[in-house]
Amino acid sequence: MLMHSRKLIVSFVLVLNLVLILFYNHVSNLSSQALTLVYEPTGLEHARDLVPRPVSDPNERYLAYLPHSGFHNQRITLENALLLAKYLNRTLLVPPVFLGPATEWRFFNILHRRIVLQTKRGLDHCGRISKGEPLPAECLDYYSWTTVEWDFFYDMEKIAKQQPWMYRPDHSFAWMETQLGVDRKKDIYIIDDRAHYDYQIYDDPNSVTPLDTNKYMRRLDVKELADRPERVIHMGSLFATGRVLAELPENKEYQAFLRRTMILSTPILRKTSEAIVSKLGGLGSFVGLHLRVGDGMFVAPAPTNVENMFQQLINITGITPIPNYQTPTNPLPAEGDNTEGDKDQLPMVQEKVVRERLGVEACRERKAEGGKYTTIYIATDGVVPRRNPLFAKLFDHFPCIFTLDDFAAEHLVELKGMKNTDGVGLAKDLIPMVDAVVSAKGRYFMGTPKSTFSTYVLKQLHPAFVGELFDQEGNPL
């Protein structure tokens, strides 16, 4: 009996093993067939069918680059990239504008990795958390930065008529593979930066312009890049004014077109700046200044820059400076403060100079007098300019000086409420742009040396807004 039971058990195990083997073989065949659909030589076509995307021309060639630093540096980089793409007859891949703490330049691999990892993918819930509620760990930096597309600021459709471009919302090479149909191993040629200012690109092979060796390490001719067969040429940094030269006549013309086109045209910027300019007396009715004094390399030379602007204002207005004027070194009291009993704590200059201040209406009425009543608008990152001793000499001599603070309550309310699609406020980035546009609409403009903000206003915004009314010296045309 026991022997018979053992035989039944052995038979059962054998049959069970046979069934399992047959089942395993059946499943393996199915899996093999499924895997073949994905990984067969034509598997890329199957993947494309699963992920809807634009059909890419397999013969189209592209130029890509890595953005970094603040808004104006990204703007300069975009201009250089548009120039180079035109020279190479390639479609430019245009990344969005990054608004937030600046990403510093690094070697290609490091900078590329940082940009790829700077994403809000999967963080949609962060933007839905009510104000005042605690943020989870993954959302702590959510509101510190955002991105917008370049056509938020500029007429990119107009540029597209001269130079093909397409948005690159994702910096990963996987995006290039799925969206452009390129093979990252053989279709992408990377120019790996050896330094922050590695190369300067020459459009004219016969150029005799010497390389600025104080800044750049080597000369790179367009022909070297034009001969590359890869579908994508990927640059690292293209930042720096003059990084890509435009010496050939047709290239000079194209560069001039770009600079005429890359004028801040966001509706809220135009609306706000026009309202403030109207209050000041209208287009070309005042002097615009830009004084960057609050950070980095602009702090130490700030007193000298203010003094230089004061001397230029003396030349424009013809006023006589206050005799024996001494610039205060302590913060000035807020206007309207009761300073009785505290005179010993006030700067000595305040006992000698009675600061006159007029509102915009009174200044418009006295506009014809000129001189000390010349209307002046200061765009600055300086905190509370009227109380800042750095600006005291200007305010003490000219009663019709205004800053953005004077118009904030009336004209910045709408702008301060603007948010991007991710819920991040845009005011901290747009307010300096309002400052730039307003200062650019004066008859004269004076800027801060080495400031990309000032250079942009001087060379592009100011000519665009008042170039048909006044020449570079402020003389009527």
Side-chain angles (χ1 to χ4, degrees):
M1 184 70 178
L2 182 61
M3 184 64 68
H4 179 69
S5 297
R6 288 179 176 177
K7 288 182 179 179
L8 288 176
I9 292 173
V10 170
S11 299
F12 176 76
V13 170
L14 290 175
V15 171
L16 180 60
N17 285 337
L18 180 61
V19 170
L20 290 174
I21 291 172
L22 292 175
F23 178 76
Y24 175 80
N25 289 336
H26 177 68
V27 171
S28 297
N29 288 335
L30 290 176
S31 300
S32 177
Q33 293 172 12
L35 288 172
T36 301
L37 290 176
V38 177
Y39 293 106
E40 64 185 354
T42 58
L44 185 58
E45 282 71 23
H46 293 286
R48 287 174 178 170
D49 291 338
L50 295 174
V51 183
R53 68 184 188 86
V55 178
S56 176
D57 181 352
N59 297 316
E60 189 167 7
R61 303 188 306 161
Y62 303 92
L63 175 70
Y65 67 94
L66 297 179
H68 61 87
S69 305
F71 173 82
H72 287 289
N73 290 16
Q74 293 178 68
R75 172 189 55 78
I76 292 169
T77 300
L78 175 62
E79 179 186 308
N80 286 334
L82 286 165
L83 285 171
L84 184 57
K86 183 79 167 179
Y87 302 166
L88 299 175
N89 193 28
R90 287 174 175 264
T91 296
L92 180 64
L93 300 178
V94 179
V97 189
F98 181 87
L99 302 176
T103 301
E104 296 181 351
W105 174 86
R106 289 291 183 268
F107 290 113
F108 185 97
N109 287 341
I110 298 174
L111 181 57
H112 180 257
R113 189 181 307 115
R114 286 188 179 183
I115 295 174
V116 169
L117 294 177
Q118 189 82 38
T119 179
K120 290 189 176 180
R121 195 174 292 119
L123 297 178
D124 292 346
H125 62 285
C126 297
R128 294 192 292 269
I129 298 175
S130 300
K131 187 175 181 179
E133 292 186 11
L135 294 174
E138 71 273 15
C139 299
L140 292 178
D141 293 329
Y142 183 85
Y143 288 99
S144 67
W145 66 275
T146 190
T147 61
V148 296
E149 296 179 347
W150 278 104
D151 56 10
F152 181 74
F153 297 110
Y154 302 131
D155 187 351
M156 296 298 290
E157 287 188 10
K158 187 175 182 180
I159 291 176
K161 294 177 182 178
Q162 295 277 340
Q163 166 59 42
W165 61 269
M166 67 179 292
Y167 274 118
R168 181 191 185 182
D170 187 327
H171 275 80
S172 67
F173 293 124
W175 179 88
M176 288 189 177
E177 288 181 322
T178 57
Q179 297 296 316
L180 309 180
V182 302
D183 184 332
R184 75 174 76 183
K185 293 182 179 179
K186 64 183 182 66
D187 290 336
I188 303 175
Y189 178 69
I190 295 175
I191 306 290
D192 197 353
D193 301 32
R194 304 171 188 169
H196 193 174
Y197 301 106
D198 185 352
Y199 45 79
Q200 186 174 27
I201 299 175
Y202 284 68
D203 64 321
D204 183 358
N206 300 314
S207 174
V208 294
T209 301
L211 180 70
D212 182 0
T213 53
N214 291 325
K215 191 170 189 177
Y216 300 104
M217 295 178 60
R218 57 182 171 131
R219 168 173 172 162
L220 182 60
D221 285 297
V222 166
K223 189 177 185 306
E224 296 179 47
L225 299 176
D227 291 340
R228 297 302 312 184
E230 291 85 0
R231 289 189 59 204
V232 179
I233 293 180
H234 204 312
M235 316 297 291
S237 171
L238 281 175
F239 168 67
T241 301
R243 182 79 177 261
V244 179
L245 296 178
E247 296 188 308
L248 295 176
E250 63 272 23
N251 295 339
K252 286 183 179 180
E253 184 178 345
Y254 175 57
Q255 184 183 57
F257 158 78
L258 288 177
R259 292 183 173 176
R260 290 193 305 271
T261 306
M262 294 177 69
I263 303 298
L264 292 169
S265 57
T266 307
I268 188 65
L269 295 180
R270 186 167 56 246
K271 175 184 176 181
T272 306
S273 65
E274 287 175 355
I276 295 173
V277 168
S278 177
K279 282 290 185 67
L280 292 170
L283 185 67
S285 64
F286 58 94
V287 178
L289 310 180
H290 171 237
L291 275 167
R292 184 170 178 182
V293 301
D295 64 337
M297 65 179 181
F298 299 100
V299 175
T304 300
N305 291 336
V306 171
E307 180 61 28
N308 289 339
M309 285 192 184
F310 177 73
Q311 294 301 325
Q312 292 182 66
L313 288 171
I314 294 296
N315 294 334
I316 291 172
T317 63
I319 72 165
T320 300
I322 298 171
N324 303 317
Y325 181 86
Q326 295 180 8
T327 301
T329 56
N330 300 316
L332 304 183
E335 294 182 17
D337 280 359
N338 181 2
T339 58
E340 291 297 325
D342 295 323
K343 290 184 179 179
D344 291 341
Q345 299 179 23
L346 295 179
M348 288 183 61
V349 70
Q350 297 306 301
E351 297 179 7
K352 300 178 181 179
V353 178
V354 178
R355 178 179 291 183
E356 181 183 5
R357 180 187 177 188
L358 300 178
V360 287
E361 293 81 6
C363 289
R364 286 204 304 268
E365 291 174 2
R366 305 190 70 164
K367 174 183 175 182
E369 297 181 38
K372 65 181 287 188
Y373 296 107
T374 299
T375 299
I376 300 168
Y377 181 85
I378 300 179
T380 182
D381 60 348
V383 179
V384 194
R386 289 189 186 279
R387 297 189 61 198
N388 190 330
L390 192 60
F391 299 92
K393 190 170 187 177
L394 299 177
F395 283 103
D396 285 342
H397 283 81
F398 299 98
C400 290
I401 291 184
F402 301 93
T403 68
L404 197 57
D405 291 348
D406 298 310
F407 306 97
E410 183 178 359
H411 295 296
L412 295 185
V413 176
E414 181 181 359
L415 186 147
K416 287 181 177 180
M418 284 198 66
K419 293 183 178 181
N420 200 4
T421 54
D422 58 3
V424 176
L426 296 173
K428 66 181 184 297
D429 298 289
L430 295 182
I431 286 176
M433 297 180 190
V434 171
D435 240 3
V437 174
V438 173
S439 64
K441 293 186 176 183
R443 178 171 179 172
Y444 303 91
F445 174 78
M446 305 173 202
T448 302
K450 298 183 180 180
S451 164
T452 53
F453 180 116
S454 288
T455 302
Y456 179 50
V457 176
L458 180 65
K459 293 188 175 182
Q460 291 178 241
L461 296 187
H462 188 248
F465 294 139
V466 301
E468 295 181 359
L469 302 176
F470 307 99
D471 62 18
Q472 293 262 347
E473 304 300 321
N475 300 312
L477 295 176

